[in-house]
Amino acid sequence: SSNITDEASPPSVEPIIPPDGVSVLNGLQNNQDIDTEPLMPSFEDPVSRTRKVVWYNPLKTSLSPRHIHYLVVLGRVVFYLLLYSLLLAPIYYFTYFIPSTYIGTSGIFDFWYHHIQWSKLVLWTVTLFFGFSFVTFVTERRANPIVGRANSYVEIVKVVCLAPLLYLTGPCRTLAGPDDPMSPSPFQAFTHNYFIFLPAYLLGLQFTYLDHILFLRRVGDKLGTPMLWKTYTLGEVLCLVPILAFVFSLIGYHIFLIIAHGVWLYYLVAYSIFLGGIALISVIIRRTHYLHLHHFFIFASLIPLGAFHEPMSAIALGIVAGIFTEGAGRWGMGHIWHKGSR
């Protein structure tokens, strides 16, 4: 009968006053456990079939301030990614209708499809501009979305001025436009540019967050400074090998495309001058300066390889262009030769 009575009449519970909100907030900010009375009762005891008060305190199992911070950052990034995507959608569609300029029938213009397609140049430049503002405003949280690290407009001017040159080295062929050999329709060009290239570009803009992994940051810093290669540890080498294997496999695939499309001579001449010039200058000034290739420079130099109108090239171009923009917006496009020795 005692059991029946207990089941019919739940035990009396003293009223519980919730903890002061300020003290709870202060405790969470200091990453401390909140020493308060339990807040939520639960009546259960399946073994004896009698009611038993079991207390549960949600503050004891809540997320840590660090996890809450990460969730807030993730939510903010996702929100602005969606916002930027929506803002770019009409630009990606209507730039298609900008007329092109015919530049002649000479075989030297084969690489550019015998046209300067202003529609794709405007699209490319606007994308880099928006990407720069995303890094400065969303990632770096600067009040002005077009100022660089030194709180000046120099870096955004550099990006906009460099955009046409980078465009002519690869994106002029990768992006879809009205005067391409396949003559894509406005919808086909929009689909290729907006749903294949742009997501990869936005992904490349998030390169910043890899810096929070100090091990990867150290590996990357050494990679950009040849004089530090001898200091790699075994663990760093094991981390670097699969990354380089993936990168070189993409490069090898695009070298195959370069040969298959008959444009290998353009690349041979351009990269010979480019890499040969860097090597020559490095040797001449080696006594007073050392070479350090910032990641904006490394990935900008890879942009010409993605010069093919196919999904794999569009994705590769988007990622490397995004990382280039992230480097320019976050750190700036500084010198690659630095005074001193390492």
Side-chain angles (χ1 to χ4, degrees):
S1 63
S2 176
N3 288 349
I4 296 176
T5 303
D6 288 341
E7 289 184 353
S9 303
S12 60
V13 179
E14 291 294 329
I16 294 191
I17 300 175
D20 176 61
V22 175
S23 64
V24 172
L25 179 60
N26 291 337
L28 286 176
Q29 290 175 343
N30 296 326
N31 200 21
Q32 299 172 349
D33 289 334
I34 308 303
D35 188 13
T36 60
E37 293 294 330
L39 299 180
M40 300 173 60
S42 174
F43 298 93
E44 56 179 331
D45 192 350
V47 177
S48 62
R49 298 182 62 202
T50 59
R51 298 231 175 177
K52 182 179 179 181
V53 178
V54 179
W55 294 98
Y56 168 69
N57 186 351
L59 293 176
K60 296 286 186 180
T61 58
S62 61
L63 295 172
S64 69
R66 179 181 298 178
H67 292 149
I68 293 174
H69 170 72
Y70 289 156
L71 289 175
V72 170
V73 171
L74 177 62
R76 187 170 185 270
V77 170
V78 170
F79 169 78
Y80 279 105
L81 283 175
L82 293 175
L83 177 61
Y84 272 65
S85 298
L86 291 175
L87 292 175
L88 286 169
I91 298 174
Y92 266 60
Y93 185 83
F94 288 108
T95 49
Y96 176 93
F97 300 100
I98 299 176
S100 303
T101 300
Y102 183 69
I103 56 177
T105 59
S106 172
I108 198 173
F109 299 129
D110 288 347
F111 187 84
W112 299 279
Y113 301 141
H114 302 278
H115 290 83
I116 297 177
Q117 299 195 51
W118 300 105
S119 60
K120 294 195 286 187
L121 176 57
V122 170
L123 178 62
W124 169 254
T125 305
V126 169
T127 301
L128 295 188
F129 182 89
F130 269 71
F132 185 95
S133 70
F134 181 95
V135 172
T136 56
F137 181 69
V138 180
T139 308
E140 295 299 301
R141 298 187 177 227
R142 297 173 189 146
N144 189 333
I146 56 173
V147 297
R149 188 183 182 191
N151 201 30
S152 71
Y153 298 96
V154 173
E155 299 305 327
I156 186 62
V157 172
K158 289 180 184 178
V159 170
V160 172
C161 292
L162 191 59
L165 177 61
L166 292 175
Y167 166 78
L168 292 174
T169 65
C172 61
R173 294 170 59 92
T174 316
L175 299 175
D179 290 294
D180 291 348
M182 301 297 293
S183 300
S185 66
F187 180 75
Q188 290 172 328
F190 173 78
T191 301
H192 176 83
N193 297 333
Y194 188 77
F195 291 106
I196 300 178
F197 166 75
L198 181 61
Y201 178 77
L202 295 176
L203 176 63
L205 293 178
Q206 313 314 311
F207 187 80
T208 297
Y209 299 105
L210 292 179
D211 258 2
H212 293 283
I213 305 175
L214 298 181
F215 177 78
L216 291 180
R217 184 195 302 180
R218 187 167 62 249
V219 171
D221 286 343
K222 291 182 180 181
L223 181 63
T225 309
M227 295 179 67
L228 295 179
W229 290 355
K230 60 185 178 182
T231 66
Y232 271 122
T233 65
L234 178 60
E236 291 169 346
V237 171
L238 292 177
C239 172
L240 192 61
V241 166
I243 296 175
L244 291 180
F246 175 74
V247 171
F248 281 116
S249 64
L250 279 179
I251 293 175
Y253 173 70
H254 282 87
I255 290 176
F256 166 77
L257 292 177
I258 289 170
I259 297 173
H261 284 75
V263 292
W264 61 270
L265 187 57
Y266 292 92
Y267 285 89
L268 181 62
V269 172
Y271 272 107
S272 295
I273 296 173
F274 177 69
L275 298 177
I278 293 176
L280 180 61
I281 295 174
S282 298
V283 170
I284 294 174
I285 63 175
R286 68 185 184 279
R287 296 184 182 278
T288 57
H289 293 74
Y290 67 92
L291 175 67
H292 176 73
L293 300 177
H294 301 282
H295 69 271
F296 88 85
F297 188 88
I298 294 173
F299 286 95
S301 66
L302 295 177
I303 285 176
L305 295 179
F308 303 96
H309 186 72
E310 58 174 65
M312 183 63 74
S313 283
I315 293 171
L317 173 65
I319 292 175
V320 298
I323 298 176
F324 152 72
T325 310
E326 183 272 344
R330 188 182 182 203
W331 300 107
M333 290 188 282
H335 303 291
I336 62 174
W337 288 284
H338 300 267
K339 206 165 188 178
S341 60
R342 277 185 138 180

